Amino acid sequence: MVRTIRKLSLIALAAALLAGVAPSSAGADGPAAARAVDVPVQSTAEAGNPLVEGWYADPDVAVYDDRFWIFPTTSRRYAEQTFMDAFSSTDMVTWTKHSKVLDIADVSWAKYALWAPAPVFRDGKYYLYFAANDIQNDSEHGGIGVAVADRPEGPYKDAIGGPLISRFHNGAQPIDQDVFIDDDGQAYMYYGGWGHANVVKLNPDMTSLDTFPDGSTYKEITPENYVEGSFMFKRGGTYYMMWSEGGWTGPDYSVSYAMSDSPTGPFRKIDQVLAQDSAVARGSGHNSVVNVPGTDIWYIVYHRRPLSETDGNHRTLAYDRIHFNEDGTIRPVTMKVKDNFDDGNAVGWRTYGGAGWTPERGAYSTMSSSRGLSLQDTDFSDLVYEADVTLRHSRSTSGLAFRVSRPGTGTEGFHGYYADLTAKGLVLGKATGDERTQLATARLTGAVGTTHRVRVEAVGPSLKVYVDDMAVPKISTTDSAFATGANGLHTAPLPPKAGTAAAPGRPSARFDNVSIRSNVFSFEASDAPNQFIRHAWSRGRVDPDVTPYADMQWKVVPGLADPSAASLESVNFPGSFLRQRDGEVWIDTRTDDADFRVDATWRRVPGLSDRTLTSFESYSTPGSYLRHRDALLYSERVSAADRPDATFRPW
């Protein structure tokens, strides 16, 4: 949660890091002075979502001293929700578990359903607001309580001997509270279930309620489609209210938001900002937001349900980056799938076979004499899948598996595709149980002992595999045996040397920096932050604050004129493509004539001004590049000074 962070010592540290000067200590009313800390600048949880092992939900975040703290609901059966754990981290990568920071034994009036902790610091004390007993009417005892501790990790003890809010007001069930302290020091609590949201003012003691100028205590602020999970934060003088919609056990659980110039509204719904992704996870909701103090870096922290889980309580913690448009609106959040194993674990991976998968030294290794799979719980059809692969033995065969189903079929089998490195080169094949069929091969020098970046692009039956050179595929072929499935890592047994038995436990391969995503991208101009390739009235443009958002989303598909190249299809208008016409760039509906196919095909090349980014060379006019000029897109030759105009950052 974003609360009183102006008082926290990370403010001084982060600002000092940005300014290049030594940090100063925090104010006297904040937590103790910070030690050195890594400020995270990430696109998502780069070390992998879920963040931690176990079933948790309803996370809220605070920044205390040099640490980020997550306080979640323990997502167990109803009667077993009797305690709360917490997790802390200095870098949002490695998390330390703090068990039972609040236990129902320390709250005399609470019996079960301990929900939605909301942490906040004030005047030397740490407060933790919670809901208990899931009351269904005013005759039942329970509601929203507050506990207090001398340390972030507790133990927290009931502060007032009973609920702070114990009844339904304006139809709002007293659950899902959030506490926000404004710049003037006024504390507010936002709460409510059953489709109603209230805001109340907290007195400076943080354990009693104040009144509004009109004498009322409970002000209803229910926005459109509100269900539960209120959350408030402030950025640049604007108040953002977020909430969850849909049913918490269903796939439609999601997060929407409103903006206001007042902490009490009115709050008019602007848009949905986080929803399920049928390729990544379901039931994404009940969120909080954390700002890295002293920066404009923001993350949304939330829970979601893995695709293969059907138990409503099987929810996990995750976070992704939030990006704002120039007008302050929030771009829809994409749930990203990445893992660089820097947290030293493989939470979220499921292993099959006897490959002995082990996270070690910031990577994921396998040591085995048998086949094995380690899979993410994903279900991608069209995808872009990348990872670093290092063969550790001259007889190793290891790589990426995709569109996988039925893992464990047969003695060592699965159904799906694999792209393996061997000592001799690259093999793209498909597995049907124990049966293996090679689809294509390519030579590769220095395959053993060298880390290679491997990328798979699968769009419909088109299968491309890149190694190191991300502009030209090593393999480009077609196969339609498998349309969708999980993604993961694959290793084959080390064959024995002639006359010897296989040696179990030998190192086989090392994997790192895994990234899996759909083939839908947005492209930000490298020299114009927050401005994206989009279309408007058929003309290709580069603009900020694109509405609707889908106008700046592009499906990267095999080139219409050359499958080894690429074409950009509009997500908002399927069947329409970005194409050049006499040097201008338009979005046109596809036709079958050869000129259209050629003009709508682009060669992706390393960025002209930054090779880590992307440029697009016209297929029909080699030497001309997609570039922006005066907000419009053109296909032109570019000078050295114009190269940034022709370089784009994929999102």
Side-chain angles (χ1 to χ4, degrees):
M1 173 176 288
V2 180
R3 313 174 176 79
T4 63
I5 56 177
R6 70 192 189 285
K7 297 181 179 179
L8 301 184
S9 51
L10 268 176
I11 286 284
L13 176 65
L17 290 174
L18 293 173
V21 298
S24 59
S25 61
D29 59 348
R35 296 176 291 275
V37 61
D38 293 326
V39 178
V41 184
Q42 304 170 167
S43 65
T44 181
E46 303 283 349
N49 285 320
L51 297 178
V52 296
E53 190 77 58
W55 304 123
Y56 293 96
D58 313 334
D60 204 346
V61 187
V63 184
Y64 297 143
D65 290 333
D66 59 349
R67 304 186 75 84
F68 299 85
W69 288 79
I70 295 180
F71 295 83
T73 297
T74 303
S75 191
R76 299 184 173 208
R77 291 185 298 174
Y78 194 77
E80 296 177 356
Q81 293 174 324
T82 58
F83 64 90
M84 289 173 169
D85 298 328
F87 299 88
S88 68
S89 174
T90 59
D91 55 11
M92 293 185 71
V93 175
T94 301
W95 295 90
T96 299
K97 181 177 179 179
H98 306 270
S99 298
K100 295 188 176 182
V101 297
L102 175 64
D103 192 286
I104 214 159
D106 295 316
V107 185
S108 61
W109 54 272
K111 305 301 180 185
Y112 46 75
L114 204 59
W115 290 349
V120 68
F121 173 87
R122 188 160 213 175
D123 296 333
K125 295 290 185 180
Y126 297 87
Y127 295 90
L128 195 64
Y129 298 79
F130 59 92
N133 298 352
D134 186 24
I135 64 172
Q136 303 296 296
N137 54 63
D138 287 344
S139 66
E140 297 183 0
H141 190 52
I144 296 172
V146 55
V148 65
D150 294 323
R151 300 177 301 174
E153 65 271 28
Y156 288 85
K157 306 293 184 180
D158 185 17
I160 57 177
L164 179 62
I165 300 176
S166 60
R167 294 180 177 272
F168 286 67
H169 298 277
N170 303 319
Q173 185 189 26
I175 62 168
D176 288 4
Q177 61 290 324
D178 176 60
V179 176
F180 165 78
I181 301 179
D182 206 351
D183 297 333
D184 62 1
Q186 178 61 59
Y188 298 89
M189 179 188 291
Y190 304 81
Y191 77 93
W194 290 16
H196 293 274
N198 287 335
V199 60
V200 298
K201 294 173 69 174
L202 289 168
N203 284 314
D205 63 10
M206 302 300 284
T207 59
S208 61
L209 303 183
D210 198 356
T211 58
F212 292 101
D214 63 1
S216 65
T217 301
Y218 302 91
K219 177 179 175 64
E220 184 167 9
I221 53 169
T222 306
E224 177 188 355
N225 291 340
Y226 177 91
V227 173
E228 59 192 14
S230 302
F231 184 82
M232 170 62 66
F233 71 96
K234 188 177 183 180
R235 175 183 180 267
T238 298
Y239 298 86
Y240 293 78
M241 180 181 176
M242 307 181 91
W243 65 91
S244 294
E245 301 179 351
W248 72 273
T249 60
D252 60 339
Y253 205 52
S254 57
V255 176
S256 290
Y257 79 103
M259 299 164 63
S260 178
D261 58 5
S262 166
T264 59
F267 295 106
R268 180 182 58 83
K269 177 178 175 178
I270 292 177
D271 202 358
Q272 187 180 80
V273 71
L274 176 68
Q276 76 152 339
D277 184 332
S278 59
V280 179
R282 299 187 178 96
S284 51
H286 202 125
N287 73 291
S288 57
V289 169
V290 63
N291 170 232
V292 178
T295 76
D296 197 29
I297 301 167
W298 300 77
Y299 299 97
I300 183 169
V301 185
Y302 60 97
H303 73 243
R304 66 195 199 188
R305 186 171 295 104
L307 293 179
S308 64
E309 296 294 339
T310 57
D311 188 319
N313 282 315
H314 285 185
R315 296 171 289 177
T316 61
L317 302 184
Y319 73 81
D320 285 287
R321 183 79 174 268
I322 287 181
H323 295 279
F324 296 86
N325 296 313
E326 288 187 355
D327 64 358
T329 56
I330 304 174
R331 286 186 234 150
V333 173
T334 300
M335 291 192 286
K336 297 184 182 298
V337 181
K338 293 188 175 184
D339 203 336
N340 61 18
F341 306 102
D342 284 355
D343 55 3
N345 64 49
V347 173
W349 292 84
R350 298 182 179 182
T351 61
Y352 304 84
W357 298 91
T358 305
E360 59 176 2
R361 296 190 297 276
Y364 199 29
S365 297
T366 175
M367 300 177 64
S368 178
S369 59
S370 64
R371 294 186 189 275
L373 283 173
S374 187
L375 298 178
Q376 283 276 337
D377 195 354
T378 54
D379 188 22
F380 282 93
S381 51
D382 294 345
L383 62 90
V384 178
Y385 177 20
E386 298 184 65
D388 293 336
V389 182
T390 309
L391 297 184
R392 301 175 65 188
H393 193 282
S394 61
R395 288 176 285 136
S396 297
T397 299
S398 299
L400 312 186
F402 58 102
R403 292 182 178 172
V404 172
S405 63
R406 301 168 65 185
T409 303
T411 56
E412 300 174 329
F414 64 97
H415 289 236
Y417 297 106
Y418 57 90
D420 281 346
L421 299 184
T422 73
K424 295 182 179 180
L426 175 65
V427 177
L428 175 64
K430 62 182 176 183
T432 309
D434 287 333
E435 182 180 349
R436 302 288 186 270
T437 303
Q438 286 191 5
L439 299 175
T441 62
R443 294 190 62 82
L444 180 66
T445 59
V448 179
T450 301
T451 298
H452 295 281
R453 188 66 174 172
V454 179
R455 182 171 78 197
V456 170
E457 293 182 1
V459 180
S462 172
L463 307 176
K464 299 179 187 178
V465 185
Y466 301 76
V467 180
D468 298 332
D469 179 1
M470 297 291 113
V472 180
K474 289 284 187 182
I475 289 174
S476 182
T477 189
T478 59
D479 189 85
S480 58
F482 307 108
T484 187
N487 301 84
L489 306 172
H490 171 249
T491 188
L494 297 178
K497 291 183 179 179
T500 64
R506 295 292 299 275
S508 177
R510 185 176 186 270
F511 303 91
D512 202 358
N513 298 316
V514 174
S515 173
I516 310 164
R517 61 170 297 163
S518 75
N519 66 325
V520 174
F521 289 81
S522 295
F523 296 98
E524 182 183 29
S526 69
D527 61 339
N530 230 20
Q531 299 195 34
F532 292 82
I533 293 177
R534 60 86 55 97
H535 55 84
W537 301 285
S538 298
R539 189 65 167 92
R541 301 180 57 86
V542 168
D543 285 336
D545 301 337
V546 178
T547 302
Y549 179 69
D551 282 353
M552 64 180 246
Q553 290 185 297
W554 302 93
K555 184 178 291 185
V556 180
V557 301
L560 300 182
D562 182 348
S564 67
S567 291
L568 303 182
E569 182 180 11
S570 169
V571 168
N572 205 24
F573 293 93
S576 295
F577 291 82
L578 201 68
R579 56 124 8 145
Q580 72 90 19
R581 281 194 271 132
D582 300 323
E584 295 183 343
V585 176
W586 297 77
I587 177 174
D588 289 338
T589 302
R590 178 179 178 175
T591 62
D592 289 331
D593 66 274
D595 286 344
F596 182 96
R597 294 196 299 270
V598 169
D599 289 342
T601 299
W602 307 85
R603 293 195 184 278
R604 284 177 299 168
V605 298
L608 298 183
S609 64
D610 182 340
R611 292 184 62 82
T612 66
L613 305 181
T614 296
S615 292
F616 294 94
E617 183 181 17
S618 170
Y619 189 83
S620 60
T621 313
S624 292
Y625 293 86
L626 184 69
R627 59 86 54 95
H628 68 92
R629 177 162 50 84
D630 299 325
L632 296 176
L633 286 174
Y634 297 89
S635 177
E636 297 177 337
R637 294 184 179 275
V638 296
S639 66
D642 294 332
R643 287 175 183 172
D645 295 341
T647 303
F648 301 91
R649 177 177 289 102
W651 288 99

